[in-house]
Structures are given as structure tokens and as C-alpha cells.
Amino acid sequence: MPESSPETHVIDFRAAEQLLEARDPRGAIRLLDSVITAHPENTAARLLRARAFFLAAQLRPAELEFQIVLEREPDNAFAHFALGRTLERAGRAEEARRHFRLAAALEPRPDFIEAARFALGTGNNDSAPGPQPPDGDPE
């Protein structure tokens, strides 16, 4: 097996992005595990792995990764929104509500505002799409 280097980690990160786009979250998780082991401070890799966990229906690991991102970047609106979706999917609507509201307050995107509004209602939002990063998401 070839030596790991910063270059191979960048390649693995980019490949994981492609796998996630191709709806292979488990493949993305496998690639990101080595990136995060080598660079545990890499918030972009953790955010991508959190999204992959969510899409793989691994809600507890997704929640933990989103929380790590938010510990480092408490003003990350997308991470709040995605954590809200994760908690909502896990049947924890009350906890999700807080994160939807924070996401909408930090960045008034239509999907964040809609989630915050819906969280105020009494329905179940099972048909809501998974978290999608904003266009031009910084890495």
C-alpha cells in the first residue's frame, strides 16, 4: 500500500466528494476515515463525513460529527441546519428546532427559513431532503 501524504489525502477528500455525489456514502466514509485520522482538525473533511453518515442513515455518527464541526465553528449555519435534519430524522424534533432556528438566523437561506418555520408547526417533515451544502461551500 502506498504511503499516505498530504497529496493523497486531498485526492481522497475529492474522491469522497464525488462518491457522495454518486450516492455512495459508505465509500465516501471509508476514504474520509483515513483523511480525518491523519488530519483530525480538518473541519471540511468532518463536515463531508457527517453528510455521508447522514446519507448512510448512520444518525448517531452524523450527529457527533456535526457537533464537532459546531464546536469549532459555532456560526456554521449549514452545520446547524444539517444537525437539525439529523435530529429530526432521529425523532428528536424539539432538539432539531433549535438548530433550524440558529441556521435561519445565521444565514437566511430559503431552505433554512422553511425548516425553521416548519419546526414551529406540529407536522412531521419526513419528505424533507437531506442536508445539501450551499453553493460555493468553503473547504
Side-chain angles (χ1 to χ4, degrees):
M1 183 170 189
E3 289 281 324
S4 287
S5 70
E7 293 81 17
T8 60
H9 295 142
V10 170
I11 291 167
D12 286 347
F13 180 86
R14 295 295 179 210
E17 287 179 318
Q18 295 298 315
L19 286 171
L20 207 54
E21 263 184 51
R23 302 302 238 185
D24 181 3
R26 286 178 175 80
I29 292 166
R30 281 191 297 276
L31 288 175
L32 291 166
D33 284 346
S34 65
V35 173
I36 292 171
T37 297
H39 304 281
E41 75 290 347
N42 188 318
T43 304
R46 287 193 176 275
L47 191 57
L48 189 61
R49 186 165 72 169
R51 288 180 49 222
F53 280 135
F54 179 88
L55 291 173
Q58 296 180 28
L59 301 181
R60 184 64 181 146
E63 177 185 351
L64 294 173
E65 286 292 344
F66 286 129
Q67 288 174 341
I68 290 170
V69 170
L70 287 170
E71 285 173 11
R72 296 173 183 179
E73 299 177 2
D75 61 343
N76 186 320
F78 174 74
H80 279 290
F81 173 74
L83 179 55
R85 283 283 183 244
T86 303
L87 295 168
E88 179 183 61
R89 193 169 172 191
R92 295 161 56 193
E94 193 63 36
E95 293 173 74
R97 180 176 297 125
R98 175 179 175 268
H99 291 284
F100 288 144
R101 288 179 181 166
L102 282 167
L106 289 166
E107 187 177 332
R109 284 179 31 180
D111 51 341
F112 293 0
I113 292 169
E114 182 63 29
R117 283 188 184 138
F118 186 84
L120 295 173
T122 59
N124 186 343
N125 202 8
D126 286 338
S127 64
Q132 298 297 315
D135 291 335
D137 190 28
E139 296 179 31

